[in-house]
């Protein structure tokens, strides 16, 4: 079974500084995908960034970048120039494929609550 | 706006009752996923449908059932509700061919009293 571990229940960062949210994963698959989602207090799940296991470059989307270290099985999210609106829960997820029926789903970590201080 | 619509947004009911949560996926998406988010369990995968057929089942209780209709909207039925069923229920849809990113609805918050 695949597993996602987020070891930081909560993180604090000063506005305009960068912050790294940790994520490690466990899989025996050669092909997999890693995702980060943001969940503000309003509750919706917002997709931030994706990294494929065969992608050679680290993914970037605006102020978000994914520090992908395949050998260490880590996929940390880096948020640069933090803003007050970045305060939210952040979830790391991995695409899990089923051998039967070709289905796939996302398996989520427990999340990290980020607080950006003014 | 993800394009996934869920109703109702909030629902308060009593133990033993039955509720139905509804989801309309993004236009053109054939896959629908249901997730449950509770405080102590995080985001748990319940079930997936693809073009009307059940594709994968996760930690879904026997008291819960789901279906996807020909117009691709989906319903999650929760019966004999217990206090522990109080949670945020998400529906998500996925494009046929892409990275596997799920587009989530805003969720239905169920409170069982």
């Amino acid at each position: 079974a695949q597993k996602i571990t987020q070891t930081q229940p909560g993180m604090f960062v000063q506005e305009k500084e960068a912050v790294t949210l940790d994520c490690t994963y466990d899989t025996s698959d050669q092909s997999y995908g890693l995702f980060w989602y943001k969940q503000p207090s309003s509750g919706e799940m917002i997709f931030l960034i994706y990294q494929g296991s065969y992608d050679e470059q680290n993914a970037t989307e605006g102020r978000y970048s994914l520090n992908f270290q395949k050998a260490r099985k880590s996929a940390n999210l880096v948020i640069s120039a933090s803003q007050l609106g970045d305060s939210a829960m952040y979830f790391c997820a991995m695409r899990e494929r089923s051998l039967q029926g070709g289905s796939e789903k996302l398996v989520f970590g427990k999340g990290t609550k980020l607080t950006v201080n003014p | 706006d993800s394009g996934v619509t869920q109703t109702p947004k909030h629902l308060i009911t009593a133990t033993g009752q039955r509720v139905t949560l509804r989801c309309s996926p993004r236009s053109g998406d054939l896959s629908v996923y249901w997730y449950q988010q509770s405080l102590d369990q995080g985001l748990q995968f319940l079930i997936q449908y693809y073009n009307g057929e059940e594709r994968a089942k996760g930690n879904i209780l026997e008291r819960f059932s789901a279906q996807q209709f020909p117009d691709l909207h989906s319903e999650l039925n929760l019966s004999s509700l217990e206090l522990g069923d109080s949670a945020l229920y998400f529906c998500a849809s996925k494009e046929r061919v892409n990275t596997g990113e799920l587009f989530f609805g805003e969720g239905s918050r169920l409170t069982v009293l």
Side-chain angles (χ1 to χ4, degrees):
Chain A
Q2 299 177 336
K3 186 178 173 182
I4 294 284
T5 303
Q6 294 181 256
T7 58
Q8 307 154 314
M11 287 285 285
F12 293 86
V13 66
Q14 288 297 122
E15 197 177 4
K16 300 180 184 177
E17 292 185 352
V19 62
T20 298
L21 306 183
D22 294 342
C23 173
T24 58
Y25 59 92
D26 183 24
T27 181
S28 55
D29 292 346
Q30 295 301 308
S31 175
Y32 51 90
L34 296 156
F35 304 78
W36 278 91
Y37 282 83
K38 172 185 178 181
Q39 186 179 37
S41 57
S42 51
E44 71 270 29
M45 294 288 287
I46 302 168
F47 166 74
L48 295 178
I49 197 166
Y50 166 80
Q51 179 84 41
S53 58
Y54 291 119
D55 295 340
E56 294 185 354
Q57 301 283 340
N58 284 343
T60 60
E61 289 287 346
R63 294 185 300 109
Y64 304 108
S65 60
L66 200 151
N67 183 0
F68 181 47
Q69 299 187 43
K70 197 169 182 177
R72 299 178 65 178
K73 293 189 175 178
S74 74
N76 299 337
L77 177 70
V78 180
I79 306 175
S80 63
S82 296
Q83 302 172 356
L84 295 178
D86 294 334
S87 293
M89 282 290 290
Y90 288 82
F91 292 93
C92 180
M94 181 165 59
R95 182 180 61 227
E96 176 181 88
R97 284 205 167 102
S98 169
L99 294 177
Q100 298 174 340
S103 67
E104 58 182 42
K105 64 179 186 285
L106 294 190
V107 177
F108 287 83
K110 297 289 187 185
T112 295
K113 184 175 181 180
L114 176 66
T115 302
V116 181
N117 294 316
Chain B
D1 183 3
S2 68
V4 178
T5 304
Q6 286 188 249
T7 57
K9 286 188 168 43
H10 300 277
L11 191 56
I12 301 173
T13 189
T15 55
Q17 295 298 305
R18 172 190 170 96
V19 299
T20 296
L21 310 180
R22 182 188 168 101
C23 168
S24 294
R26 296 187 323 154
S27 177
D29 288 355
L30 301 180
S31 282
V32 169
Y33 295 74
W34 286 97
Y35 281 82
Q36 178 193 55
Q37 185 181 30
S38 54
L39 284 175
D40 56 346
Q41 293 292 326
L43 270 155
Q44 297 289 317
F45 168 70
L46 295 178
I47 198 163
Q48 179 211 354
Y49 280 83
Y50 180 83
N51 203 19
E53 293 187 2
E54 181 184 306
R55 268 295 179 91
K57 222 168 186 176
N59 302 318
I60 188 166
L61 300 173
E62 286 191 11
R63 300 184 285 108
F64 296 179
S65 65
Q67 53 184 327
Q68 185 179 29
F69 295 87
D71 67 352
L72 300 178
H73 92 271
S74 178
E75 292 181 356
L76 179 66
N77 301 295
L78 315 175
S79 61
S80 303
L81 285 168
E82 302 175 359
L83 296 178
D85 298 327
S86 295
L88 187 55
Y89 291 85
F90 284 107
C91 169
S93 72
K94 186 173 80 72
E95 293 175 340
R96 184 180 307 182
V97 180
N98 75 346
T99 59
E101 167 196 345
L102 295 184
F103 297 88
F104 283 82
E106 295 184 344
S108 292
R109 185 170 296 280
L110 173 66
T111 302
V112 182
L113 301 177

